[in-house]
Amino acid sequence: MDPVVLDAIQSLLAEGKTPTVALTKARLKAPVAMPTLIAGVSAYKNDPEGVAKLGKPTIQAATAAQTQTQLDRIEAKLDQLLALLSKGN
């Protein structure tokens, strides 16, 4: 399940609300394709306990992977800039 959708569903569950497509969409922190959103809500309705158990570690792992990817891109750009500066001197 998409981490953004899972986070929205968990947020609703924490407030004691039953996740629906509309409520979950309103809680999204980033854009998600409608089929992904519907699949997430359907997964919750099919197995509420299973989705509730997924919890934060999955989201933290996804966030850590995104952060590492961003750091890799920044490092590559920094290497390019340093190479340009060293050629100029």
Side-chain angles (χ1 to χ4, degrees):
M1 177 181 306
D2 188 286
V4 176
V5 175
L6 179 60
D7 190 35
I9 289 173
Q10 297 258 333
S11 170
L12 290 167
L13 292 174
E15 292 180 11
K17 297 180 180 178
T18 302
T20 63
V21 173
L23 285 175
T24 304
K25 184 176 181 181
R27 294 291 172 102
L28 294 176
K29 295 181 180 175
V32 174
M34 188 58 75
T36 304
L37 176 63
I38 293 169
V41 173
S42 294
Y44 167 77
K45 288 183 179 182
N46 290 333
D47 186 16
E49 306 255 339
V51 171
K53 290 179 185 175
L54 289 175
K56 296 293 181 181
T58 304
I59 293 171
Q60 289 175 348
T63 303
Q66 289 173 347
T67 301
Q68 186 60 44
T69 302
Q70 288 174 337
L71 287 174
D72 290 342
R73 284 195 311 254
I74 292 169
E75 185 178 1
K77 287 180 182 180
L78 181 59
D79 288 341
Q80 289 174 348
L81 288 172
L82 290 172
L84 288 173
L85 284 173
S86 66
K87 285 182 185 178
N89 289 334

